[in-house]
């Protein structure tokens, strides 16, 4: 307590003692009584030095709101020294206990390790300890961290909902390739994203797509994806199945599989791909069970041959339904046979038959006319998730202004309402791949439910799709004096729109000078993360370390234990990019014969999960393979553990 009885003002360096981005073992999870959010206790640093965490108000100014995050909002902002535009993801820290949200912890740790053109970069972490704006009389400090990210002009959900943007097929191909590039990088770095959806795919002013929101991402065990199996196969590790926003949740998750793989992300990519045509999420289940029904209504109830493992999952009852696939009727009007094949393989019910990010990039759909565009050109208008409500209002307005069609006989009945009642419209003449995809009028109010994991750990939050006013037009009213938390000269915060103290970029100039691609200096570009010898995808690398031997026993999948078929070790067949018109090879995935060979003899309710087999010919200490200890944690089994690891992921592995 202070001298006058008021609470003591924390020192300016209060946060300096905390260590962000490192949790060595599963921390005890606590729940804040006031907000009901889950937190972990921040550990104190051994030294008192500031470590990559500067003070917010010294360096940044907060601007308009871009989106609503689970543990805080996302704002547009300005870096004061350079006047560069940034996005700031706010993380509110529990004031009483100094607790930090786990999802934020995880996102920061993982983003710090990734470096790829199609992955959002974490510029830095800053903290804000200005007086609490909700209680101007108190000396309480408002405690929040900000993740500073490069500012992106749009996210894919905003783009798809924007009635003024119509994506061409060549742009959709370009976007799909970029998404797959980013995802392939994440998967090869041994992470699963676990929240792929349109709102988490950001687009910069150059048309470069970036995967964002790594709050649910995690390290996986086992081999990275290769042309035979999706990543994570064979480790026997179990993860929580309540991940991914429900409408983008893969069928194995819906059926309660805990030993899933990176294929859950590919399912999300399939949903995003199809959403580009219908311009709304394609699988809108109302509950978790209903999600299963919605999936099977589109793709058909899987038979035993379609998906062997489904019968052994907790939600197997769903497979007793009898739905017929409707995917051709629904998406055949937008896509050619090849395009439809691509969609079907992204949305394969059996995760082991689903394309991997790498194999998907080589699907012949990408070599068919129209070829992927060189660069996506979006209108200069910014389109974020937060703008969806504005688009909805615009759409509603334009519908209510539409003159109703005259009834037969060309007379207008007296009782006819000027408001069009039904929004049903026939899709315009469906053309194949060379046409601009036209969706029927869509229900733009559709908004996916939040991820179930977040439902469990966080307060269900209302959806705030915009910041309450059209962003580009009307300046907000000036706030009462004395509420300015951020600007040193005490200008009211909301005066930022009057132009007098706005930076050169605040006039919505789309040029984002903070963007690394536009501000390219090779001196400061980090080398990409090495994939390591365990990343044995069969890409174009000539380095023999990155090629798998056909006899590599690590690719024998213990989930399919009897697979001794020699044909599995034949060379992998690839799509030829030179012959786009060759007929589709339906056996492409799996390329080497029946994937589920030998499963007929399978008796147990679940296949056993032996330790990942390591052939004697392999250099054992190159295998960065965690082995489960008796107490359930994982230890490093390399013969020389002091050797530097490619990815030191042990600290973030076991949160959930
Ligand atoms: N770097 C950025 N540039 C521009 N807009 C951004 C940026 N990062 C996030 N946004 C906007 O904020 C929204 C929410 O961001 P994000 O998904 O990272 O937060 P979240 O807390 O994980 O949200 P959710 O719980 O919905 O997944 C995005 O959909 C996007 O519209």
């Amino acid at each position: 307590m202070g001298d006058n009885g008021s609470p003591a003002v924390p020192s300016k360096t209060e946060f300096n003692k905390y260590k962000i981005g490192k949790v060595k073992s599963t921390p005890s999870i606590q729940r804040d009584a006031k907000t009901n959010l889950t937190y972990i206790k921040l550990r104190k640093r051994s030294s008192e030095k500031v470590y990559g965490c500067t003070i917010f108000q010294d360096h940044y100014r907060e601007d308009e709101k871009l989106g609503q995050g689970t543990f805080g909002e996302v704002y547009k902002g300005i870096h004061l020294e350079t006047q560069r535009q940034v996005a700031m993801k706010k993380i509110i820290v529990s004031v009483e206990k100094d607790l930090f949200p786990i999802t934020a912890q995880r996102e920061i740790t993982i983003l710090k390790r990734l470096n790829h053109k199609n992955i959002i970069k974490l510029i830095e972490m800053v903290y804000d300890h200005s007086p609490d704006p909700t209680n101007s009389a108190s000396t309480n400090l408002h405690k929040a961290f900000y993740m500073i990210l490069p500012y992106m002009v749009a996210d894919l959900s905003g783009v798809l909902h924007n009635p003024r943007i119509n994506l061409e097929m060549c742009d959709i191909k370009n976007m799909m390739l970029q998404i797959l590039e980013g995802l392939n990088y994440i998967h090869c770095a041994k992470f699963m994203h676990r929240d792929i959806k349109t709102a988490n795919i950001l687009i910069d002013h150059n048309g470069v797509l970036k995967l964002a929101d790594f709050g649910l991402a995690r390290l996986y065990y086992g081999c990275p994806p290769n042309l035979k199996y999706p990543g994570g196969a064979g480790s026997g590790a179990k993860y929580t199945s309540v991940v991914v926003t429900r409408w983008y949740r893969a069928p194995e998750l819906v059926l309660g599989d805990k030993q899933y793989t990176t294929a859950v992300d590919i399912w999300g990519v399939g949903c995003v791909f199809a959403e580009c045509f219908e311009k709304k999420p394609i699988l809108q289940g109302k509950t978790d069970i209903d999600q299963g029904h919605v999936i099977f209504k589109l793709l058909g109830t899987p038979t035993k041959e379609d998906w062997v493992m489904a019968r052994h999952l907790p939600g197997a009852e769903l497979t007793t339904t009898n739905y017929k696939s409707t995917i051709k009727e629904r998406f055949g009007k937008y896509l050619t046979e090849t395009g439809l094949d691509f969609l079907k393989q992204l949305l394969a019910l059996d995760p082991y038959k689903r394309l991997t990010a790498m194999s998907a990039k080589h699907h012949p759909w990408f070599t068919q006319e129209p070829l992927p565009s060189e660069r996506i050109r979006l209108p200069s208008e910014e389109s974020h998730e937060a703008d969806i409500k504005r688009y909805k209002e615009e759409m509603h307005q334009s519908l209510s202004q539409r003159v109703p069609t005259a009834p037969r006989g060309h007379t207008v009945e007296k009782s006819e309402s000027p408001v069009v009642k039904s929004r049903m419209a026939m899709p315009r003449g469906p053309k194949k791949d060379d046409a601009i995809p036209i969706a029927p009028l869509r229900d733009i109010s559709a908004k996916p439910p939040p991820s179930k994991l977040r439902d469990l750990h966080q307060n269900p939050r209302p959806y705030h799709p915009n910041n309450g006013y059209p962003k580009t037009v009307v300046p907000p009213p000036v706030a009462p004096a004395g509420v300015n938390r951020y600007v040193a000269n005490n200008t009211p915060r909301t005066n930022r729109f009057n132009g007098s103290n706005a930076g050169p970029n605040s006039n919505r100039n789309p040029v984002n000078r903070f963007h690394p691609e536009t501000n390219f200096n090779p001196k400061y570009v980090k080398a990409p993360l090495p994939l390591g010898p365990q990343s044995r995808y069969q890409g174009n690398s000539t380095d023999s370390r990155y090629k798998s031997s056909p006899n590599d026993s690590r690719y024998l999948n213990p989930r399919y234990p009897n697979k001794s078929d020699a044909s599995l070790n034949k060379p992998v067949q690839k799509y030829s990019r030179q012959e786009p018109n060759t007929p589709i090879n339906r056996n492409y995935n799996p390329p080497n014969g029946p994937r589920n060979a030998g499963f007929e003899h399978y008796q147990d309710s679940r296949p056993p999960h032996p330790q990942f087999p390591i052939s004697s010919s392999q250099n054992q200490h190159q295998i960065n393979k965690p082995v489960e200890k008796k107490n359930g944690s994982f230890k490093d089994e390399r013969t020389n553990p002091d050797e530097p690891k490619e990815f030191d992921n042990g600290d973030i592995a076991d949160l959930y």
Side-chain angles (χ1 to χ4, degrees):
M1 295 285 266
D3 293 339
N4 55 1
S6 57
V9 181
S11 74
K12 212 177 173 189
T13 54
E14 187 193 14
F15 284 91
N16 298 357
K17 54 185 183 264
Y18 296 123
K19 190 171 166 183
I20 299 182
K22 273 265 187 221
V23 180
K24 277 289 175 205
S25 59
T26 308
S28 56
I29 297 171
Q30 299 185 26
R31 191 173 287 276
D32 181 50
K34 218 176 190 179
T35 61
N36 204 30
L37 298 180
T38 44
Y39 292 94
I40 49 170
K41 195 110 183 105
L42 283 178
R43 296 185 322 148
K44 293 198 174 167
R45 292 182 65 78
S46 49
S47 81
E48 291 296 305
K49 278 186 198 155
V50 180
Y51 187 69
C53 201
T54 48
I55 298 169
F56 174 80
Q57 44 276 85
D58 291 353
H59 299 277
Y60 293 93
R61 195 183 64 227
E62 188 179 286
D63 232 337
E64 70 197 71
K65 187 170 158 184
L66 295 169
Q68 176 72 41
T70 306
F71 42 76
E73 290 106 2
V74 183
Y75 292 92
K76 187 174 175 178
I78 299 281
H79 183 233
L80 296 174
E81 280 132 58
T82 58
Q83 290 296 315
R84 289 163 171 163
Q85 288 178 312
V86 288
M88 305 187 301
K89 197 165 169 175
K90 191 172 185 175
I91 303 156
I92 295 168
V93 177
S94 164
V95 179
E96 290 95 18
K97 295 184 189 160
D98 284 346
L99 297 175
F100 197 80
I102 297 173
T103 46
Q105 167 82 35
R106 188 190 285 260
E107 180 164 20
I108 295 161
T109 315
I110 294 178
L111 276 182
K112 277 165 75 177
R113 286 158 199 238
L114 301 177
N115 179 20
H116 188 271
K117 190 182 171 201
N118 299 117
I119 309 292
I120 195 79
K121 280 188 178 54
L122 176 62
I123 297 171
E124 66 169 329
M125 292 298 302
V126 293
Y127 70 85
D128 171 12
H129 68 151
S130 51
D132 188 347
T134 57
N135 186 0
S136 55
S138 88
T139 47
N140 270 351
L141 288 192
H142 170 79
K143 295 177 184 177
F145 283 87
Y146 287 86
M147 290 170 67
I148 306 292
L149 307 160
Y151 175 68
M152 302 280 128
V153 290
D155 65 55
L156 192 51
S157 112
V159 166
L160 293 178
H161 281 94
N162 189 333
R164 286 174 291 284
I165 300 180
N166 243 334
L167 291 171
E168 306 268 348
M169 186 59 80
C170 54
D171 290 335
I172 295 177
K173 286 190 179 177
N174 175 314
M175 290 193 317
M176 288 302 293
L177 281 176
Q178 293 196 56
I179 295 170
L180 291 168
E181 284 284 349
L183 206 54
N184 185 45
Y185 172 81
I186 299 174
H187 290 172
C188 288
K190 300 198 73 174
F191 291 107
M192 297 188 261
H193 185 283
R194 303 199 301 180
D195 201 10
I196 295 289
K197 59 179 176 179
T198 46
N200 290 340
I201 298 170
L202 306 177
I203 308 176
D204 77 5
H205 65 282
N206 281 325
V208 178
L209 268 65
K210 313 256 179 197
L211 301 182
D213 191 0
F214 284 72
L216 286 181
R218 69 155 292 149
L219 175 87
Y220 66 84
Y221 301 118
C223 65
N226 56 75
L227 290 178
K228 283 183 191 170
Y229 302 121
S235 68
K238 291 184 178 177
Y239 318 108
T240 175
S241 59
V242 278
V243 284
V244 188
T245 306
R246 190 196 301 134
W247 293 348
Y248 299 83
R249 208 174 284 161
E252 62 270 27
L253 296 176
V254 174
L255 265 54
D257 193 359
K258 285 189 183 300
Q259 295 177 22
Y260 54 86
T261 66
T262 51
V264 296
D265 290 340
I266 300 295
W267 178 271
V269 174
C271 294
V272 167
F273 176 42
E275 192 170 329
C276 292
F277 305 110
E278 291 198 342
K279 299 198 170 187
K280 62 178 183 190
I282 61 157
L283 298 166
Q284 300 187 19
K286 291 189 181 67
T287 60
D288 292 350
I289 306 267
D290 185 46
Q291 189 64 30
H293 287 279
V294 172
I295 290 174
F296 292 160
K297 274 179 194 165
L298 177 69
L299 296 150
T301 306
T303 61
K304 197 178 171 200
E305 291 70 42
D306 290 339
W307 184 8
V308 178
M309 275 305 294
R311 264 72 186 161
H312 305 284
L313 296 176
E317 209 184 313
L318 265 173
T319 59
T320 55
T321 53
N322 196 18
Y323 298 114
K324 294 272 165 293
S325 170
T326 53
I327 192 164
K328 190 162 183 186
E329 292 85 72
R330 202 162 149 193
F331 293 99
K333 55 190 175 227
Y334 307 115
L335 289 163
T336 57
E337 272 291 298
T338 321
L340 201 59
D341 177 74
F342 180 54
L343 178 62
K344 282 183 188 165
Q345 292 205 45
L346 291 174
L347 295 180
L349 290 170
D350 183 346
Y352 285 81
K353 290 179 180 168
R354 223 169 280 156
L355 293 175
T356 63
M358 167 147 297
S359 59
K361 286 193 299 174
H362 297 289
H363 192 280
W365 181 65
F366 290 109
T367 56
Q368 260 191 354
E369 289 291 338
L371 294 174
S373 55
E374 291 281 305
R375 180 184 154 178
I376 306 168
R377 281 170 215 284
L378 295 174
S380 53
E381 185 184 8
E382 302 175 10
S383 309
H384 293 104
E385 194 189 17
D387 298 310
I388 293 173
K389 193 173 170 200
R390 182 159 56 90
Y391 300 145
K392 189 181 158 193
E393 279 160 10
E394 281 173 16
M395 183 81 110
H396 183 75
Q397 220 172 17
S398 69
L399 281 171
S400 58
Q401 281 165 2
R402 210 182 279 171
V403 180
T405 48
R408 282 205 193 115
H410 303 281
T411 58
V412 179
E413 287 165 25
K414 233 181 165 182
S415 59
E416 185 83 335
S417 155
V419 179
V420 176
K421 285 173 196 154
S422 163
R423 294 177 58 193
M424 286 298 291
M426 288 300 290
R428 274 195 269 152
K431 288 188 187 170
K432 291 294 182 182
D433 272 5
D434 54 351
I436 300 169
I438 307 286
L441 277 183
R442 56 193 188 272
D443 175 12
I444 57 171
S445 60
K447 162 74 186 158
S451 149
K452 192 171 170 188
L453 185 68
R454 286 173 180 173
D455 293 351
L456 291 179
H457 288 278
Q458 316 283 350
N459 255 346
R461 61 177 168 78
Y463 172 51
H464 298 297
N466 80 353
N467 53 353
Y469 50 87
K471 290 202 299 188
T472 49
V473 198
V474 191
V478 174
V483 297
N484 181 12
R485 290 154 42 208
Y486 306 119
V487 185
N489 62 10
N490 205 26
T491 313
R493 217 175 111 215
T494 42
N495 268 350
R496 62 189 183 267
F497 289 99
N498 69 7
S500 58
N501 59 351
N505 281 343
S506 62
N507 58 355
R508 293 196 156 267
N509 181 349
V511 177
N512 177 3
R513 288 179 293 150
F514 210 23
H515 191 267
E517 272 83 46
T518 53
N519 213 0
F520 181 78
N521 184 344
K523 216 170 111 188
Y524 300 112
V525 175
K526 276 193 213 158
L529 288 173
L531 295 172
Q534 70 272 41
S535 302
R536 288 162 180 268
Y537 66 85
Q538 297 178 347
N540 298 329
S541 170
T542 48
D543 188 337
S544 59
R545 286 182 311 147
Y546 298 134
K547 300 235 171 199
S548 68
S549 137
N551 298 321
D552 192 339
S553 61
R554 289 185 301 162
Y555 293 135
L556 291 182
N557 185 350
R559 301 190 82 185
Y560 299 87
N562 297 322
K563 192 182 326 194
S564 55
D565 188 345
S567 69
L568 285 179
N569 291 327
K570 278 185 195 164
V572 174
Q573 180 186 344
K574 284 185 184 173
Y575 278 127
S576 159
R577 294 178 76 87
Q578 275 71 48
E579 296 170 349
N581 296 326
T582 42
I584 303 159
N585 179 1
R586 297 277 165 197
N587 290 330
Y588 170 62
N589 187 18
N592 298 321
R595 185 156 295 212
N596 300 327
F599 234 94
E600 299 310 311
H601 318 292
Y602 180 63
Q603 298 291 325
D604 215 355
S605 66
R606 262 203 98 92
H609 291 278
Q611 289 297 330
F612 213 60
I614 301 171
S615 75
S616 56
S617 62
Q618 284 162 6
N619 188 354
Q620 293 238 355
H621 64 257
Q622 283 188 342
I623 298 162
N624 182 10
K625 175 186 73 66
V627 175
E628 198 164 3
K629 282 197 285 193
K630 271 197 186 127
N631 62 8
S633 65
F634 286 83
K635 69 173 184 191
D636 192 350
E637 282 287 291
R638 296 171 305 157
T639 48
N640 181 5
D642 296 334
E643 201 178 52
K645 282 193 270 183
E646 303 285 1
F647 293 103
D648 179 16
N649 289 325
D651 52 342
I652 47 170
D654 298 321
L655 288 183
Y656 47 82

